[in-house]
């Protein structure tokens, strides 16, 4: 890297982008790497406060910031999958701009971020990989990570180390596409079954399912009777359901028998209760691989609950585990903002 006075740089090749900021209006690269400095450039460069420029002369042991940022991004997302799918499937890596590279999503899905690998990459001097959180539902084209290096050129050994870390344990990021679920809804409650009150669960559940590739097989309303609930679950199972949601009767009141009805099917209960508010009474179980979810009453009136944290994971094909749910307690408290922006907030974005 050679430092020269602006007035002496005419005819030389610029080794880095130069950013021009107009307060309140714009921030852009006024001069791109590779630009040959012209005499008419000198006044503008001086107006930008640039009295000296770096002319880049890279040796074999250095990597330019643009190439470095691209290699970090590729290492973070690209790795041959066992199923033979192409490297980096699910992500789009941008061209460098001012030394930075953006990683965006190629389709909808559940973002997977391995925090320990991100930490390992960022522990290398002058290397930057910034990401969103783990288990986030994301849309197509969403920015989920960015990479760069601090200096204009970085030792090649540092980038090779990043690539080696990811080759051995990576990728640091993955994107699980949503799968179609055939969903059966069992709504419990004597008051709903008898017609005394109108069902509120069905509309709320169907609205949430509309965000995912769900084929709703139907909704069956049954009384607070463990045998009737059990039979409804098995009927949906026989119809080919791949996900069954059982709503209502999830509290500890003596008339609420939904948890015991789910257990009576022989399903393995992963948890009855999660450290999330609202939605603490959520139940997750598996009946020979078929996920059963006991949905608490708060889903009818709260905008975002524990159910919203679990639902995208199920549609992404993830097996829900107790340790994963335990970790939801950190940042598991919803602020109940007047305008809900989840998942673009801290709710559920703990270490899980």
């Amino acid at each position: 890297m050679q430092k020269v006075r602006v007035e002496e740089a005419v005819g030389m090749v610029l080794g880095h982008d130069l950013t021009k900021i107009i307060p309140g209006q714009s921030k852009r690269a006024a001069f791109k790497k590779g630009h040959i400095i012209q005499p008419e450039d000198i006044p503008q460069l001086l107006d930008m406060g640039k009295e000296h420029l770096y002319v880049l002369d890279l040796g074999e042991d250095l990597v330019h910031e643009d190439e470095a940022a691209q290699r970090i991004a590729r290492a973070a997302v690209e790795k041959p999958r066992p199923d033979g799918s192409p490297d980096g499937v699910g992500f789009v890596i941008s061209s460098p701009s001012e030394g930075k590279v953006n990683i965006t999503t190629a389709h909808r899905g559940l973002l997977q971020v391995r925090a320990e690998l991100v930490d390992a990459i960022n522990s290398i001097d002058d290397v930057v990989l910034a990401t969103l959180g783990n288990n986030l539902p994301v849309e197509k084209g969403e920015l989920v990570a960015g990479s760069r290096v601090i200096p204009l050129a970085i030792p090649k050994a540092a980038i090779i180390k990043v690539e080696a870390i990811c080759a051995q344990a990576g990728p640091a990021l993955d994107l699980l596409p949503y799968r179609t679920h055939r969903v059966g809804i069992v709504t419990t409650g004597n008051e709903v079954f008898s017609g005394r009150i109108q069902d509120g669960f069905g509309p709320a559940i169907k609205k949430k399912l509309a965000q995912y590739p769900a084929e709703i097989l139907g909704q069956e309303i049954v009384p607070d009777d463990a045998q009737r609930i059990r039979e409804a679950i098995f009927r949906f199972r026989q119809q080919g359901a791949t996900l069954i949601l059982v709503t209502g009767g999830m509290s500890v009141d003596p008339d609420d028998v939904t948890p015991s009805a789910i257990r009576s099917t022989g399903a393995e209960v992963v948890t009855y209760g999660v450290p999330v508010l609202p939605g603490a009474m959520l139940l997750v179980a598996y009946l020979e691989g078929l996920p059963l979810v006991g949905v608490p009453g708060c889903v009818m009136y709260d905008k975002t609950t524990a159910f919203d944290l679990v639902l995208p994971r199920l549609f992404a094909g993830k097996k829900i585990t107790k340790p994963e749910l335990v970790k939801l307690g950190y940042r598991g408290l919803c602020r109940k903002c007047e305008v809900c922006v989840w998942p673009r907030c801290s709710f559920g974005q703990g270490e899980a």
Side-chain angles (χ1 to χ4, degrees), residues 151-346:
L152 297 174
I154 190 171
K156 184 180 293 186
I159 303 304
I160 292 175
K161 187 174 181 181
V162 172
E163 293 169 335
I165 289 173
C166 294
Q168 181 176 1
L173 285 83
D174 202 356
L175 183 60
L176 304 180
Y178 294 137
R179 307 175 181 180
T180 300
H181 264 307
R182 306 183 73 215
V183 186
I185 304 171
V186 179
T187 296
T188 72
N190 293 333
E191 68 283 8
V192 180
F193 180 75
S194 65
R196 291 182 63 86
I197 67 168
Q198 186 176 0
D199 167 48
F201 268 115
I205 293 295
K206 291 173 184 177
K207 183 178 179 180
K208 292 184 182 298
L209 289 176
Q211 304 172 51
Y212 302 97
E215 176 189 345
I216 300 178
L217 297 177
Q219 179 186 10
E220 186 170 344
I221 299 176
V222 296
D224 289 310
D225 181 287
Q227 180 64 23
R228 298 281 293 274
I229 297 171
R230 179 177 181 275
E231 290 171 352
I233 291 173
F234 279 115
R235 276 192 293 271
F236 276 124
R237 185 191 186 198
Q238 291 171 355
Q239 293 176 38
T242 58
L243 171 63
I244 297 178
L245 306 176
V246 188
T247 69
M250 292 302 302
S251 76
V252 294
D253 293 346
D255 290 333
D256 290 340
V257 297
T258 300
S260 61
I262 292 175
R263 288 191 176 94
S264 73
T265 65
E268 177 187 356
V269 175
V270 176
T271 187
Y272 172 32
V274 292
V276 176
L277 297 172
M281 305 306 288
L282 185 82
L283 183 150
V284 178
Y286 285 91
L287 175 59
E288 297 179 354
L290 171 64
L292 307 176
V293 180
V295 184
C298 61
V299 170
M300 287 189 288
Y301 48 84
D302 280 308
K303 296 175 183 177
T304 311
T305 71
F307 182 59
D308 296 278
L309 303 182
V310 168
L311 199 57
R313 305 180 196 211
L314 292 169
F315 274 93
K318 290 198 69 177
K319 178 74 178 290
I320 307 298
T321 66
K322 181 65 177 285
E324 177 182 1
L325 296 174
V326 167
K327 289 183 179 180
L328 289 176
Y330 177 67
R331 295 190 174 181
L333 177 65
C334 178
R335 287 180 165 180
K336 299 190 177 183
C337 304
E338 184 174 345
V339 178
C340 180
V341 296
W342 185 86
R344 291 174 174 82
C345 71
S346 64

Side-chain angles (χ1 to χ4, degrees), residues 25-271:
Q25 297 185 35
S26 65
K27 175 185 176 184
R28 62 182 178 84
F31 296 94
K32 291 282 191 177
K33 182 197 78 166
H35 175 72
I36 299 176
I37 304 299
Q38 304 297 319
E40 57 268 25
D41 297 334
I42 303 304
Q44 184 178 352
L45 289 165
L46 292 172
D47 290 345
M48 293 168 59
K50 305 297 182 182
E51 297 183 355
H52 296 84
L53 300 175
Y54 282 112
V55 179
L56 199 58
D57 182 17
L58 295 179
E60 293 183 359
D61 295 333
L62 292 176
V63 177
H64 187 272
E65 60 174 351
D66 286 353
E67 179 187 347
Q70 285 186 308
R71 289 174 64 174
I72 293 168
R74 286 197 298 267
V77 304
E78 293 184 352
K79 189 174 186 293
R81 271 51 169 190
D83 62 2
S85 57
D87 292 354
V89 64
F91 297 102
V92 177
I93 298 174
S94 74
S95 299
S97 176
E98 300 181 32
K100 294 177 289 186
V101 165
N102 291 331
I103 301 174
T104 56
T105 53
H107 56 76
R108 299 181 71 224
L110 188 69
L111 180 66
Q112 302 290 279
V113 181
R114 299 174 62 186
E116 72 280 5
L117 281 184
V118 176
D119 290 345
I121 291 170
N122 287 319
S123 68
I124 300 171
D125 289 344
D126 295 329
V127 169
V128 173
L129 177 65
T131 75
L132 297 184
N134 188 33
N135 280 321
L136 265 181
V138 291
E139 298 299 318
K140 179 180 179 179
E142 192 166 344
L143 176 66
V144 294
S147 61
R148 70 167 304 156
V149 294
I150 301 302
L152 297 174
I154 190 171
K156 184 180 293 186
I159 303 304
I160 292 175
K161 187 174 181 181
V162 172
E163 293 169 335
I165 289 173
C166 294
Q168 181 176 1
L173 285 83
D174 202 356
L175 183 60
L176 304 180
Y178 294 137
R179 307 175 181 180
T180 300
H181 264 307
R182 306 183 73 215
V183 186
I185 304 171
V186 179
T187 296
T188 72
N190 293 333
E191 68 283 8
V192 180
F193 180 75
S194 65
R196 291 182 63 86
I197 67 168
Q198 186 176 0
D199 167 48
F201 268 115
I205 293 295
K206 291 173 184 177
K207 183 178 179 180
K208 292 184 182 298
L209 289 176
Q211 304 172 51
Y212 302 97
E215 176 189 345
I216 300 178
L217 297 177
Q219 179 186 10
E220 186 170 344
I221 299 176
V222 296
D224 289 310
D225 181 287
Q227 180 64 23
R228 298 281 293 274
I229 297 171
R230 179 177 181 275
E231 290 171 352
I233 291 173
F234 279 115
R235 276 192 293 271
F236 276 124
R237 185 191 186 198
Q238 291 171 355
Q239 293 176 38
T242 58
L243 171 63
I244 297 178
L245 306 176
V246 188
T247 69
M250 292 302 302
S251 76
V252 294
D253 293 346
D255 290 333
D256 290 340
V257 297
T258 300
S260 61
I262 292 175
R263 288 191 176 94
S264 73
T265 65
E268 177 187 356
V269 175
V270 176
T271 187

